[in-house]
Amino acid sequence: MRILVVEDEPELNRLLTKRLKSAGYSVDSCVDGRDALDHLPGAEYDALVLDIMLPGISGLEVLRRMRSASNTTPVLLLTARDSIEDRVIGLDAGADDYLVKPFAFDELLARLRVLLRRKSGAVSDVITIADLVVDCAGRTVERAGRPVTLSSKEFAVLEYLARNSGVVLSREKISRHIWNYDYEGGSNVVDVYIRYLRKKLDEGFEPKLIHTVRGAGYVLRVDA
């Protein structure tokens, strides 16, 4: 899933970006509110990690502008202030959750998983489609009871397909969710990773689960 980190402390920004990437997320980052507002129209983010105290435009103002523009992307606010009043102001502005600095990174990951489940309407981090089992928290995959080893990017593509099972996703939509602004690879990268996944998940198994919808994109589903 694709995350935007907005944090003006350079070291914390770098650490959050690095740790989220190592956890399998595609991450863009910026250090002020104006940059955050510039990033938002150019990508479909699954969640924002947004510091309240930002130079120029505050995190709360970024949040208010997002919600006034009908942008419903889940937002996890970060703040050094722990008063109930501050939390209420953030939640009333449209935040989905609130985390006080300093915080444990594992807690941040858990809170992000809750936001992603809520967004997709899932009740669990384990997604089952036919005999395919995708554990989004444990980052493990099984097909017909057999473990399947995937690279970080392969898992990211599969997770996105699984969270949207039955929905046809265009190559552009998949690319925009999985690869960040820094990516400089080929334009056929989505096709390449779909081919990798088919080899590992569909080859030798029935029913086939990864389908091409000509002229539209790819979908993970059990065809009747």
Side-chain angles (χ1 to χ4, degrees):
M1 301 290 99
R2 190 167 183 176
I3 308 292
L4 177 62
V5 172
V6 190
E7 168 59 60
D8 68 320
E9 296 179 36
E11 185 58 25
L12 180 56
N13 189 308
R14 184 196 65 79
L15 182 61
L16 284 174
T17 299
K18 180 180 178 181
R19 295 287 298 274
L20 285 168
K21 284 181 176 179
S22 70
Y25 293 101
S26 175
V27 184
D28 296 315
S29 65
C30 55
V31 296
D32 62 54
R34 193 168 301 281
D35 277 350
L37 292 172
D38 287 342
H39 271 72
L40 287 170
E44 292 185 32
Y45 292 104
D46 294 288
L48 266 68
V49 178
L50 178 64
D51 187 26
I52 287 181
M53 301 296 291
L54 295 172
I57 300 174
S58 72
L60 287 177
E61 181 60 24
V62 171
L63 181 56
R64 291 188 184 104
R65 293 191 191 186
M66 286 176 60
R67 297 309 188 226
S68 66
S70 301
N71 185 326
T72 59
T73 303
V75 173
L76 174 61
L77 281 182
L78 301 181
T79 182
R81 299 185 296 196
D82 190 23
S83 74
I84 292 176
E85 181 182 1
D86 287 330
R87 283 184 246 181
V88 169
I89 290 171
L91 294 170
D92 282 346
D96 297 88
D97 203 353
Y98 198 102
L99 197 55
V100 177
K101 301 176 184 177
F103 53 83
F105 185 73
D106 285 346
E107 182 179 2
L108 182 140
L109 283 180
R111 288 173 181 262
L112 282 176
R113 288 195 296 269
V114 170
L115 294 184
L116 294 174
R117 283 202 305 270
R118 192 182 301 159
K119 180 184 177 185
S120 64
V123 295
S124 168
D125 284 318
V126 178
I127 302 170
T128 303
I129 301 159
D131 58 358
L132 174 69
V133 180
V134 182
D135 184 340
C136 300
R139 300 188 65 75
T140 60
V141 179
E142 291 184 357
R143 180 87 204 254
R146 302 181 215 166
V148 179
T149 301
L150 300 181
S151 71
S152 177
K153 274 292 185 277
E154 288 169 349
F155 187 91
V157 174
L158 175 61
E159 180 183 2
Y160 186 45
L161 291 171
R163 287 189 184 275
N164 294 276
S165 61
V167 178
V168 179
L169 301 171
S170 69
R171 290 171 176 83
E172 180 186 8
K173 197 171 183 67
I174 296 170
S175 177
R176 282 161 61 95
H177 267 78
I178 306 302
W179 282 270
N180 59 21
Y181 284 116
D182 298 331
Y183 178 71
E184 297 179 350
S187 59
N188 67 332
V189 63
V190 173
D191 301 312
V192 170
Y193 275 88
I194 290 293
R195 189 161 63 246
Y196 292 160
L197 288 174
R198 278 184 167 141
K199 185 173 181 62
K200 293 183 176 183
L201 297 174
D202 271 352
E203 202 169 278
F205 295 100
E206 292 294 339
K208 306 305 181 190
L209 297 177
I210 302 173
H211 304 278
T212 302
V213 178
R214 190 173 298 277
Y218 297 106
V219 59
L220 186 69
R221 69 186 179 204
V222 181
D223 275 356

